[in-house]
């Protein structure tokens, strides 16, 4: 970052685009000014996300235009924009990146899975008091899941896997969320997770942190079931029993019934089953 008083970050994910605008503080940190989120569903596909659909690119460019307007409403601001899984894998990513420059004036950086994991780790260290403990960070996105093992500010190991709530939904639940689809999804996720869980679990993490939309949604739903309303979601926790009950409820309900569940954002109703199964298998894999 340069010498701008205000800075903004835009995170272009598979499911949503996030904006944070902050002001440099005198002590060297940042004072949050505003944040925005648009769910654009940029990436689709049950295997590799080889292409970005024209309508998804249109939605994303419009979102970037709005995000830029929000950021510049605070005056001179330096904007850093990064893209992750969906853009990283797309063969036609240049179409999206070129339009971002030409139509919005944003030079978007496509980051690697390792860099994505590293930045998630840095964010968690700033948000939660896990510095003194060996920690495992799990970030379930739409197209990928990042795993980080760290102690203090040292990143010991990082892994990015092509497992995400949208990717699994497109692969297993495009037609139904019946018992057969749930069983096949679990089997696939369990097999994919096994090698990473064996290697990362060997570091014996003392605390596990979940970040991003799926984790926060499941936490919100678990707290709602307990009729617990914390002042903020950051630092909230739920147990394997909480998750088991949630997964049972989600996999045995229709879309209409899921819409009525407390704590579930209606924009996430179609991908939460896959996300919950993935989280449940992660719980099992790391015991």
């Amino acid at each position: 970052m340069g010498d701008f008083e205000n800075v903004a970050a835009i995170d272009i994910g598979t499911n949503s685009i996030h904006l944070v605008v902050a002001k440099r503080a005198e002590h060297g940190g940042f004072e949050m000014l505003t944040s925005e989120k648009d769910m654009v569903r940029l990436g689709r596909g049950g295997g590799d996300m080889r292409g970005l659909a024209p309508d998804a690119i249109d939605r994303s460019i419009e979102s970037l235009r709005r995000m830029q307007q929000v950021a510049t409403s605070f005056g001179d601001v330096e904007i850093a924009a990064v893209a992750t899984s969906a853009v990283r894998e797309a063969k036609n990513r240049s179409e999206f990146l070129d339009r971002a420059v030409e139509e919005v004036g944003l030079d978007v950086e496509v980051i690697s899975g390792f860099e994505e994991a590293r930045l998630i780790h840095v964010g968690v260290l700033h948000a939660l008091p896990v510095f003194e403990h060996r920690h495992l960070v799990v970030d379930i996105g739409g197209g990928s899941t990042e795993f980080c093992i760290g102690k203090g500010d040292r990143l010991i190991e990082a892994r990015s896997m092509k497992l995400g709530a949208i990717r699994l939904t497109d692969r297993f639940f495009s037609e139904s969320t019946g018992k057969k689809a749930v069983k096949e999804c679990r089997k696939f996720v369990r097999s994919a997770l096994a090698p990473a869980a064996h290697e990362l679990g060997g570091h014996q993490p003392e605390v596990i942190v979940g970040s991003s939309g799926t984790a926060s949604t499941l936490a919100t739903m678990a707290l709602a079931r307990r009729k617990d309303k914390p002042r903020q979601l950051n630092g909230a926790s739920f147990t394997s029993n909480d998750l088991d009950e949630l997964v049972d409820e989600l996999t045995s309900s229709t879309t209409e019934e899921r819409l009525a569940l407390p704590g579930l954002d209606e924009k996430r109703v179609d991908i939460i089953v896959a996300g919950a199964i993935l989280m449940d298998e992660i719980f099992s894999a790391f015991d």
Side-chain angles (χ1 to χ4, degrees):
M1 289 295 189
D3 297 325
F4 288 80
E5 182 180 10
N6 296 330
V7 295
I10 298 177
D11 173 11
I12 303 165
T14 301
N15 187 45
S16 56
I17 296 179
H18 294 257
L19 166 75
V20 173
V21 184
K23 179 180 180 180
R24 294 182 187 276
E26 293 182 3
H27 56 75
F30 295 96
E31 175 190 343
M32 179 82 77
L33 297 177
T34 192
S35 64
E36 298 279 339
K37 181 178 80 168
D38 287 334
M39 297 184 76
V40 296
R41 296 289 171 90
L42 180 57
R44 302 296 301 185
D48 287 340
M49 295 182 175
R50 294 296 188 184
L52 304 174
D55 60 332
I57 293 178
D58 289 342
R59 287 193 301 272
S60 300
I61 293 299
E62 185 56 38
S63 173
L64 290 179
R65 187 178 288 112
R66 188 181 78 82
M67 299 288 188
Q68 184 191 54
Q69 291 171 350
V70 171
T72 55
S73 70
F74 291 91
D76 290 337
V77 59
E78 183 169 10
I79 303 174
V82 299
T84 56
S85 177
V87 179
R88 187 163 63 227
E89 295 180 39
K91 289 185 176 181
N92 64 334
R93 61 181 172 271
S94 60
E95 179 184 346
F96 170 72
L97 298 174
D98 290 346
R99 286 186 60 182
V101 172
E102 294 165 4
E103 299 179 30
V104 188
L106 283 178
D107 188 4
V108 177
E109 178 186 2
V110 182
I111 60 174
S112 68
F114 179 86
E115 177 66 1
E116 183 178 358
R118 187 189 71 80
L119 290 171
I120 289 165
H121 181 244
V122 172
V124 166
L125 289 179
H126 280 80
L128 293 169
V130 298
F131 194 85
E132 299 298 327
H133 306 280
R134 186 179 292 103
H135 46 269
L136 167 64
V137 177
V138 178
D139 185 285
I140 297 177
S144 65
T145 295
E146 279 64 49
F147 298 88
C148 305
I149 293 283
K151 177 70 182 289
D153 61 358
R154 184 168 72 95
L155 181 59
I156 298 171
E157 192 166 349
R159 190 75 55 87
S160 179
M161 301 187 68
K162 292 182 180 181
L163 294 170
I166 289 178
R167 199 188 297 263
L168 291 173
T169 297
D170 287 349
R171 181 163 185 155
F172 296 100
F173 302 116
S174 59
E175 296 182 0
S176 76
T177 55
K179 291 182 179 180
K180 182 180 179 181
V182 169
K183 183 178 180 179
E184 290 177 348
C185 181
R186 281 194 178 278
K187 183 179 179 180
F188 174 81
V189 171
R190 193 171 301 153
S191 176
L193 282 175
H198 176 73
E199 294 172 19
L200 296 175
H203 292 286
Q204 298 181 319
E206 300 164 293
V207 60
I208 301 182
V209 177
S211 61
S212 203
T214 292
S216 59
T217 297
L218 292 172
T220 301
M221 295 180 72
L223 293 172
R225 287 175 65 89
R226 300 202 302 252
K227 294 183 170 38
D228 186 358
K229 295 182 179 180
R231 292 184 179 181
Q232 62 174 6
L233 191 59
N234 196 48
S237 65
F238 58 92
T239 68
S240 57
N241 287 337
D242 291 330
L243 184 58
D244 287 342
E245 292 175 2
L246 276 177
V247 172
D248 287 344
E249 190 168 32
L250 287 167
T251 56
S252 62
S253 58
T254 64
T255 299
E256 291 71 25
E257 290 169 338
R258 286 196 291 274
L259 281 168
L261 296 177
L264 177 55
D265 183 346
E266 63 178 16
K267 293 180 180 180
R268 197 172 283 273
V269 69
D270 59 329
I271 62 173
I272 192 60
V273 171
I277 289 172
L278 176 53
M279 182 68 85
D280 198 32
E281 290 298 328
I282 289 171
F283 267 51
S284 297
F286 288 96
D287 194 25

